[in-house]
Amino acid sequence: EIVLTQSPGTLSLSPGERATLSCRASQSVSSNYLAWYQQKPGQAPRLLIYGASGGATGIPDRFSGSGSGTDFTLTINRLEPEDFAVYYCQQYGSSPNTFGGGTEVEIK
Amino acid sequence: EVQLLESGGGLVQPGGSLRLSCEASGFTFRSYAMSWVRQAPGKGLEWVSTLSATGGSTYHADSVKGRFTISRDNAKNTLHLQMNSLRAEDTAVYYCARGGDSYFLFDHWGQGTLVTVSS
């Protein structure tokens, strides 16, 4: 099973700043099948990025994904108030699909 | 608009059973793989089970294999999760999710239903 380690656990930033979230896999993610989800308190997760860098439908272009192999990054440019949330990475290239432990982006 | 509405959660004793349902609308249900993903209180996400569009292929996490069964009724646009031999560690919000380009890429999620296993 592929273990995904997200860092940092918590990121304290101000609106307008850039957020850089990391997701490291214990082994190479097949076909770069790496997704990112956003979850706000009391809400369901929402798909942001798929295939490491593809933007899901309706996602603002300030969200971008990059990386390959075992190292992936989610970047949020110019944080908006609604972006403060928990972010999870997921690999879906190998069975079983697995999620990282999450990174909370909080208001500084 | 894609909508997924879960129901069936509640309080159950250890060793008991519960059946969750997910009613889908806004898309051609029979064309998509569907899954259940859970989240224990204050914890992260854990994939539980996936069922192919036709219902011919099922996949379960090791933690629920032999205890949980996923099924679907394409005529009623409904997904089910039959949960037997429930344990305290099954306590979680259970989300229904639609498969995207891959069975295991979850592109739309329901709001979830809470299952509490406790005596």
Side-chain angles (χ1 to χ4, degrees):
Chain A
E1 167 175 323
I2 295 179
V3 176
L4 299 178
T5 302
Q6 292 188 239
S7 62
T10 303
L11 198 51
S12 298
L13 295 168
S14 301
E17 293 192 295
R18 173 184 294 177
T20 303
L21 287 66
S22 173
C23 177
R24 180 162 291 178
S26 59
Q27 53 190 282
S28 185
V29 175
S30 177
S31 302
N32 290 330
Y33 281 173
L34 192 288
W36 291 92
Y37 299 86
Q38 176 194 64
Q39 187 178 34
K40 298 179 183 179
Q43 295 186 19
R46 175 174 72 147
L47 177 66
L48 298 175
I49 301 290
Y50 65 93
S53 60
T57 302
I59 301 303
D61 59 9
R62 63 179 181 275
F63 291 91
S64 64
S66 62
S68 64
T70 60
D71 288 296
F72 299 87
T73 301
L74 174 69
T75 301
I76 313 171
N77 287 308
R78 302 178 308 279
L79 279 164
E80 297 285 343
E82 62 266 28
D83 299 336
F84 292 91
V86 178
Y87 294 83
Y88 294 97
C89 59
Q90 178 216 14
Q91 69 79 21
Y92 55 99
S94 300
S95 179
N97 71 97
T98 50
F99 290 89
T103 290
E104 180 183 7
V105 178
E106 67 172 20
I107 299 177
K108 186 174 182 180
Chain B
E1 178 191 4
V2 173
Q3 291 196 342
L4 299 169
L5 184 62
E6 302 94 336
S7 62
L11 175 63
V12 61
Q13 292 188 337
S17 297
L18 212 55
R19 189 191 195 210
L20 306 183
S21 297
C22 170
E23 186 174 339
S25 61
F27 65 102
T28 306
F29 180 74
R30 64 180 180 271
S31 297
Y32 290 85
M34 297 295 296
S35 298
W36 292 95
V37 179
R38 69 185 179 184
Q39 186 170 36
K43 302 298 184 181
L45 301 169
E46 180 190 17
W47 167 73
V48 174
S49 302
T50 294
L51 183 59
S52 64
T54 62
S57 298
T58 61
Y59 309 85
H60 293 283
D62 286 346
S63 58
V64 306
K65 206 169 289 184
R67 301 188 299 122
F68 289 12
T69 301
I70 189 172
S71 63
R72 64 193 296 160
D73 184 340
N74 284 345
K76 295 182 178 180
N77 292 347
T78 303
L79 179 73
H80 299 288
L81 185 68
Q82 178 66 42
M83 304 186 294
N84 299 330
S85 303
L86 283 161
R87 307 166 180 167
E89 54 265 36
D90 296 318
T91 294
V93 174
Y94 284 73
Y95 295 102
C96 167
R98 190 182 84 167
D101 292 346
S102 159
Y103 278 9
F104 305 106
L105 173 66
F106 310 124
D107 67 357
H108 286 88
W109 299 61
Q111 282 304 300
T113 187
L114 176 62
V115 172
T116 302
V117 184
S118 175
S119 54

